[in-house]
Amino acid sequence: MTSEDVREQPASRPTERPVRPVAEPGGVGGLLRRAATAASPTPRRPGARRGLLGQPLVRHLVLAIGGLAILYVITQSVSSFDNFQIAQIGAYVVAVAGLSVLTGLNGQISLGHGAVMGIGAYAAALLMLHTGFPLLVVLLLAPAAAGLAGLVIGLGAARLRGPYLAGATLALAVGLPGVPYRWPGVLGGGTGLTITQPTPPSFLGSNFDPQEWIAWICALAAVITLVILANLVRSRFGRSFRMVRDDEIVASLAGINVAGTQVLAFVVSAACAGLGGALLALSTGTVNPLGFPLSLSIALVAAAVVGGLGSLTGAIWGGILIVYLPQWATSVSNDFGFSKAVSSNLAFGFYGLVLIVVMLTFPGGIQGGVRRLWNALRALVARRSSPAAAGLHGNGPGQGAASAAADPAPHEMGEQ
């Protein structure tokens, strides 16, 4: 064989091996991960939105101002009890949003966020009873205390996965409500602590409803928290959360500190839960161990899943669910004359029923279902308007391509 023959022979190619898809994890962790992936918005094409409203911070602020205006109108036109419920919804929205970030964006399961809400509530009550700090300082220090507890929990949780992590946080939810009974002199024991609710400022008038003022405080805190979390999700920290959730090995190869990212997610989520607990203490005026049982932790997880894991808008649906579903269960129990034992557990049955129905109908939760319906409606309108546009402008050789370019692709219509 000559050298010319060697040069003419084609180079041998390595045998291509088929890439096997990564198996989806099973169990509770796999279910929550699939729900989070379904609820997470599809990334938009770069440059799809331009101008001032294309900036995430500006867009979030505009939505926040619009939401506050709607809440102002609602609080002005409802009763004092309805304002009390709005305040509770605001508190639960903050806690569910933090849990949605932890589980939906970072893939960590927590069944102890009800206890973390208790940490924030007791911290706020102790600060209001024993210090002269303004309300704003109290609402900043209470989530800081819960965030510190979240740091301790997160350091241990970073070594656990799946059901082991869920079991550890479940132990926290079971054990922490018993702490006030060990120190009744400081934490009030079973009776808890009673705090003085904030009064409206004098410029609002002497006849202004105090419950409406508390509803304003809770609604404003919830909107500010959602804006902060929305910008956090859009930042490099949010991208690190999602990368760690999807594949820890790939994230570590990309230079991301996996354990540090998981601890950071736990701190952020715990701080949100602590703020939610502080707002709940303001709305009720009392803090006691019975207000933060294990059932509250389960309700927070169910609300996050039903609303839409990884979706901050879904946290609003979840907060509404936590407040109104027990009342609906009580109404049904009274109408049908159920016994006391059945009535006390009927709300859990409703949670399970709603969770099953939503997961079967919309795997991405309520917000994922709303997004799918909206996208389907827009696609239907676009298809119906396309023949009319083709009739007006003709059906030349380039019209099909122009029409396809004008219609937005499905991935361009995702929602934050």
Side-chain angles (χ1 to χ4, degrees):
M1 180 180 296
T2 62
S3 60
E4 288 79 2
D5 296 333
V6 174
R7 286 195 299 267
E8 289 178 0
Q9 289 182 350
S12 60
R13 296 181 180 180
T15 305
E16 296 182 358
R17 297 181 179 179
V19 179
R20 293 184 298 176
V22 180
E24 192 71 28
V28 179
L31 174 63
L32 293 179
R33 179 169 297 185
R34 287 191 292 271
T37 306
S40 299
T42 345
R44 294 184 181 91
R45 185 181 61 186
R49 285 191 177 184
R50 298 178 181 177
L52 190 60
L53 288 180
Q55 302 297 323
L57 178 59
V58 176
R59 186 168 64 253
H60 297 155
L61 290 177
V62 170
L63 292 175
I65 294 173
L68 288 175
I70 295 174
L71 288 172
Y72 173 77
V73 174
I74 293 175
T75 54
Q76 288 285 309
S77 57
V78 297
S79 64
S80 180
F81 180 72
D82 292 328
N83 280 320
F84 168 73
Q85 291 181 318
I86 291 174
Q88 285 193 318
I89 290 174
Y92 288 125
V93 164
V94 174
V96 174
L99 183 60
S100 184
V101 169
L102 177 67
T103 305
L105 291 182
N106 194 237
Q108 299 188 79
I109 307 171
S110 174
L111 299 179
H113 262 53
V116 182
M117 286 186 68
I119 295 176
Y122 271 98
L126 291 174
L127 289 172
M128 295 181 69
L129 289 174
H130 301 292
T131 65
F133 292 155
L135 180 61
L136 178 60
V137 177
V138 171
L139 293 180
L140 291 176
L141 292 179
L148 183 61
L151 175 62
V152 177
I153 300 170
L155 289 174
R159 298 176 177 271
L160 301 175
R161 298 292 183 273
Y164 303 103
L165 175 59
T169 54
L170 181 63
L172 177 69
V174 173
L176 202 59
V179 173
Y181 296 99
R182 303 285 296 178
W183 289 280
V186 179
L187 301 178
T191 58
L193 303 174
T194 303
I195 60 176
T196 302
Q197 293 178 300
T199 56
S202 57
F203 66 85
L204 293 176
S206 58
N207 296 327
F208 192 83
D209 186 9
Q211 199 59 57
E212 184 178 349
W213 173 244
I214 296 175
W216 285 7
I217 294 174
C218 294
L220 180 61
V223 170
I224 292 176
T225 302
L226 290 178
V227 171
I228 294 175
L229 290 179
N231 286 278
L232 178 68
V233 167
R234 288 279 185 170
S235 67
R236 63 182 181 90
F237 297 104
R239 292 190 291 270
S240 299
F241 288 168
R242 285 188 289 269
M243 185 172 289
V244 171
R245 176 200 66 187
D246 294 337
D247 196 317
E248 295 182 9
I249 297 178
V250 174
S252 62
L253 292 177
I256 296 176
N257 186 352
V258 174
T261 302
Q262 291 175 333
V263 172
L264 177 62
F266 233 109
V267 170
V268 171
S269 182
C272 292
L275 179 58
L279 295 175
L280 194 62
L282 289 181
S283 64
T284 58
T286 59
V287 181
N288 60 76
L290 298 179
F292 306 95
L294 173 62
S295 58
L296 176 60
S297 299
I298 303 300
L300 291 174
V301 175
V305 175
V306 171
L309 273 178
S311 170
L312 297 179
T313 311
I316 301 176
W317 296 109
I320 295 174
L321 182 72
I322 292 178
V323 172
Y324 285 108
L325 193 142
Q327 297 183 10
W328 297 336
T330 303
S331 300
V332 171
S333 177
N334 294 334
D335 293 340
F336 288 90
F338 292 149
S339 63
K340 186 177 180 181
V342 175
S343 301
S344 59
N345 295 308
L346 190 59
F348 294 104
F350 275 24
Y351 276 123
L353 179 63
V354 171
L355 185 62
I356 293 173
V357 171
V358 171
M359 287 295 99
L360 291 177
T361 310
F362 302 113
I366 296 177
Q367 185 59 27
V370 171
R371 186 182 304 119
R372 286 175 57 186
L373 292 176
W374 173 250
N375 290 344
L377 180 61
R378 292 187 62 178
L380 180 62
V381 172
R383 283 197 301 267
R384 289 189 175 182
S385 60
S386 295
L392 288 176
H393 301 285
N395 291 322
Q399 293 299 322
S403 176
D407 292 335
H411 70 272
E412 297 178 33
M413 297 186 292
E415 180 181 347
Q416 172 67 29

